Amino acid sequence: MGPKEVELILVKEHNGVQFTTSTLVSPAGHPHGHGLALGPSHGHTPVPGEERETWGKKIDFLLSVIGFAVDLANVWRFPYLCYKNGGGAFLVPYLFFMVIAGMPLFYMELALGQYNREGAAGVWKICPIFKGVGFTVILISLYVGFYYNVIIAWALFYLFSSFTGELPWVHCNNTWNSPNCSDLWAFNNSLNDTHKSTPAAEYFERGVLHLQDSEGIADLGLPRWQLTSCLAVVIVVLYFSLWKGVKTSGKVVWITATMPYVVLTVLLLRGVTLPGAMDGIKAYLSVDFLRLCEPQVWIDAATQICFSLGVGFGVLIAFSSYNKFSNNCYRDAIITSSINSLTSFFSGFVIFSFLGYMSHKHSVPLDKCSGQGDHRRSVFLVFWTRVATDGQYVLVFLDKVATDGQYSYRSRWLFCHNIIETVDLAGPGLYWRLCWKFVSPCFLLFMVVVSFATFNPPNYGTYTFPIWANMIGWCLAISSMTMVPLYAIYKMCTLPGKFCDRLAYAITPEHEHHLVDNGEVRRFTVSCSSLLT
């Protein structure tokens, strides 16, 4: 018998993940590969010349993830939900969903990005037919970015407005105030008092947005130059923060990710010294375990996990794709998701120390103060049209339709076990594999069902959006969802061969397409024992 080529396979386990290298040795003894380099069993390291940029320091990556995940959902929404749903008892469903869904999804996104070295769309080379999921998340992020940048512009406008001897939102003596404006907090439940509004609310709605000059979303006004200028500053800062990739953004997060903690700490030190602060903190930590019998408490906890961790936006995949290949992403997932939850808990002390002070100062119940704050929260949810006279209507509307489409994406992320099978992370323990294959998909399905069951047409206060606006909203929401089936159809139509051959190529990782050529499609073989291995 003559000499034959021999395939040498080296298997190595690192960081809980199996790595393989596959090389063909020719009869002359000169090895040549299949295009596979040292990499995890579900992907491969880019070949020389295609090396992906990496973070300058490990701390740059951690701060970027923390800075992305920690936002208004942590600083305000969690403390409010905690107070609303039984105080400390709310931590039970919150931590439960964090363990069975939040951390597993967080870990999975970091692993997918790091070991495939691709962004939200490119990572789907592990299962090409689902690449539409990547385009879906990019589109959703685009929608969310429209109005989230404007939130920053509003904050910048408030910063500039505070450079005065007297803050414009503390009294009713301004030109924009209405006769309903009242400096008194002790509103009773009479008919006349139901139409009262605070100086802060009127400053935002009438002084900043000029909603009194608009009749609704159909009455688009011209952009206000003050807000437009603030938005332009935000866009310029964002551009120069990102123009050189992670080399510049990794340095910017040293400020953007740490400053909130500095501000929260300063506010806490000030808040606890105010009269009534301890009453507010006691209300925040009060425990009412009977509230756990109410389904809405568990729904709020599950929703908060999705909002606070930021899974499903593709950002975690993009961030981790710039990690070094041997980085311990498991440890990163545990650290960053834990910091995220601790930040939520810590923020509650800051918020309720001041709510307790407001309750004490104005002699009103604490729930009256928190309810008032929840209405500011509701308005903190746009491109140049959102800085126009009726921009708030467009902003609330876009927030509703953009986030509704997101749950559909998240359900597709894990709902097909074929996707999990292509990842083939054999190293992680049984707990993570059970969560990825069964628990987390059920959780996401639960979120989809809840989002549809509790859906209400978007509104802003007493204003109800017209039917035509709701139709546009559904079109925007569907536009993100349809990317998945549309790309799947496109992929099946453009691949060569018969239907079975096309399907084989579509569900097989790109680096294993040579196996399809040889008729080796192990994804066509499903056994009960393979579900947990």
Side-chain angles (χ1 to χ4, degrees):
M1 296 177 61
K4 296 182 177 180
E5 288 186 337
V6 179
E7 182 178 21
L8 300 180
I9 300 177
L10 173 65
V11 181
K12 177 184 178 182
E13 183 168 314
H14 178 79
N15 191 27
V17 178
Q18 288 184 351
F19 299 82
T20 63
T21 207
S22 177
T23 306
L24 282 181
V25 179
S26 63
H30 298 289
H32 58 278
H34 277 305
L36 292 176
L38 182 62
S41 55
H42 64 281
H44 66 280
T45 304
V47 297
E50 298 179 359
E51 190 64 30
R52 191 171 179 84
E53 183 182 14
T54 58
W55 297 97
K57 297 180 181 179
K58 174 66 174 290
I59 190 66
D60 295 350
F61 165 70
L62 294 177
L63 288 176
S64 296
V65 173
I66 293 171
F68 161 71
V70 175
D71 59 5
L72 289 175
N74 303 82
V75 176
W76 181 260
R77 194 173 190 272
F78 175 84
Y80 169 75
L81 290 178
C82 197
Y83 172 74
K84 170 189 171 186
N85 294 307
F90 182 71
L91 295 177
V92 174
Y94 177 81
L95 294 177
F96 173 74
F97 287 123
M98 168 66 76
V99 171
I100 69 166
M103 284 187 173
L105 291 173
F106 205 90
Y107 175 26
M108 187 175 205
E109 289 205 11
L110 293 184
L112 283 173
Q114 178 172 315
Y115 293 107
N116 287 283
R117 314 302 300 278
E118 297 280 357
V123 74
W124 288 100
K125 63 186 180 183
I126 63 174
C127 191
I129 196 173
F130 286 105
K131 193 173 183 178
V133 175
F135 295 127
T136 293
V137 72
I138 292 173
L139 194 56
I140 291 175
S141 297
L142 176 66
Y143 292 159
V144 174
F146 279 165
Y147 67 81
Y148 227 81
N149 287 331
V150 174
I151 294 178
I152 304 175
W154 286 346
L156 193 63
F157 182 85
Y158 267 77
L159 176 65
F160 293 149
S161 300
S162 65
F163 294 150
T164 58
E166 186 178 33
L167 295 176
W169 52 80
V170 296
H171 58 77
C172 294
N173 300 325
N174 303 290
T175 57
W176 58 78
N177 290 127
S178 70
N180 294 327
C181 181
S182 175
D183 295 329
L184 300 177
W185 277 72
F187 301 152
N188 56 39
N189 294 325
S190 66
L191 179 63
N192 292 332
D193 286 338
T194 57
H195 295 87
K196 295 291 186 180
S197 58
T198 63
E202 289 213 344
Y203 174 74
F204 178 75
E205 296 180 346
R206 300 174 65 87
V208 178
L209 299 180
H210 285 220
L211 291 184
Q212 70 275 15
D213 299 331
S214 172
E215 297 181 358
I217 193 172
D219 184 17
L220 280 175
L222 295 175
R224 300 194 61 231
W225 70 266
Q226 299 93 333
L227 296 179
T228 305
S229 301
C230 291
L231 181 59
V233 172
V234 170
I235 294 175
V236 170
V237 172
L238 287 175
Y239 173 78
F240 284 104
S241 299
L242 301 172
W243 74 318
K244 287 191 177 180
V246 295
K247 297 300 182 183
T248 54
S249 65
K251 301 300 180 288
V252 173
V253 293
W254 282 80
I255 298 177
T256 59
T258 58
M259 186 58 66
Y261 291 95
V262 175
V263 174
L264 285 174
T265 303
V266 172
L267 291 176
L268 179 62
L269 295 177
R270 172 56 178 160
V272 295
T273 63
L274 297 173
M278 291 299 106
D279 294 333
I281 293 177
K282 289 179 182 178
Y284 171 54
L285 297 177
S286 62
V287 178
D288 183 6
F289 285 108
L290 293 178
R291 297 297 303 277
L292 297 181
C293 299
E294 301 177 13
Q296 187 61 43
V297 175
W298 295 82
I299 293 174
D300 287 344
T303 305
Q304 177 62 18
I305 288 296
C306 292
F307 274 107
S308 62
L309 287 181
V311 292
F313 282 98
V315 177
L316 298 176
I317 295 177
F319 280 165
S320 62
S321 68
Y322 295 103
N323 277 333
K324 294 180 179 179
F325 192 73
S326 59
N327 176 65
N328 191 334
C329 62
Y330 170 77
R331 181 179 59 192
D332 294 344
I334 300 298
I335 292 175
T336 52
S337 58
S338 299
I339 291 177
N340 181 277
S341 297
L342 291 174
T343 302
S344 299
F345 186 67
F346 174 71
S347 300
F349 290 92
V350 180
I351 297 296
F352 277 86
S353 64
F354 282 93
L355 289 179
Y357 165 69
M358 293 165 62
S359 173
H360 173 80
K361 179 180 179 180
H362 299 286
S363 300
V364 295
L366 187 67
D367 58 350
K368 189 90 173 181
C369 298
S370 62
Q372 190 76 24
D374 182 44
H375 171 70
R376 291 305 302 271
R377 181 177 61 86
S378 65
V379 299
F380 255 115
L381 292 179
V382 146
F383 223 79
W384 73 268
T385 55
R386 263 64 77 197
V387 297
T389 299
D390 73 337
Q392 181 67 4
Y393 299 118
V394 183
L395 184 144
V396 174
F397 178 74
L398 186 59
D399 170 68
K400 181 71 176 178
V401 300
T403 52
D404 281 348
Q406 186 177 342
Y407 287 118
S408 179
Y409 153 70
R410 285 170 175 159
S411 67
R412 290 181 174 89
W413 178 260
L414 288 175
F415 203 59
C416 180
H417 80 275
N418 285 335
I419 302 177
I420 305 299
E421 190 176 3
T422 60
V423 176
D424 197 22
L425 291 176
L430 179 63
Y431 167 75
W432 297 105
R433 284 178 277 151
L434 283 173
C435 287
W436 288 338
K437 293 187 177 182
F438 302 109
V439 181
S440 295
C442 291
F443 168 80
L444 295 176
L445 179 61
F446 166 75
M447 292 304 303
V448 173
V449 173
V450 167
S451 66
F452 279 103
T454 60
F455 174 81
N456 290 310
N459 62 80
Y460 180 65
T462 58
Y463 177 78
T464 302
F465 288 89
I467 296 178
W468 65 265
N470 283 288
M471 295 299 295
I472 294 177
W474 277 109
C475 291
L476 287 174
I478 294 174
S479 67
S480 61
M481 303 179 197
T482 54
M483 297 299 293
V484 178
L486 288 179
Y487 185 85
I489 295 173
Y490 162 78
K491 194 68 177 178
M492 290 296 294
C493 293
T494 56
L495 287 172
K498 300 179 181 179
F499 177 80
C500 289
D501 296 328
R502 296 179 182 181
L503 181 61
Y505 281 112
I507 66 175
T508 301
E510 292 179 358
H511 71 278
E512 293 184 3
H513 279 186
H514 65 282
L515 298 178
V516 180
D517 297 334
N518 298 330
E520 303 175 23
V521 189
R522 56 189 179 86
R523 283 156 193 82
F524 281 169
T525 305
V526 180
S527 61
C528 295
S529 61
S530 66
L531 293 178
L532 295 178
T533 58

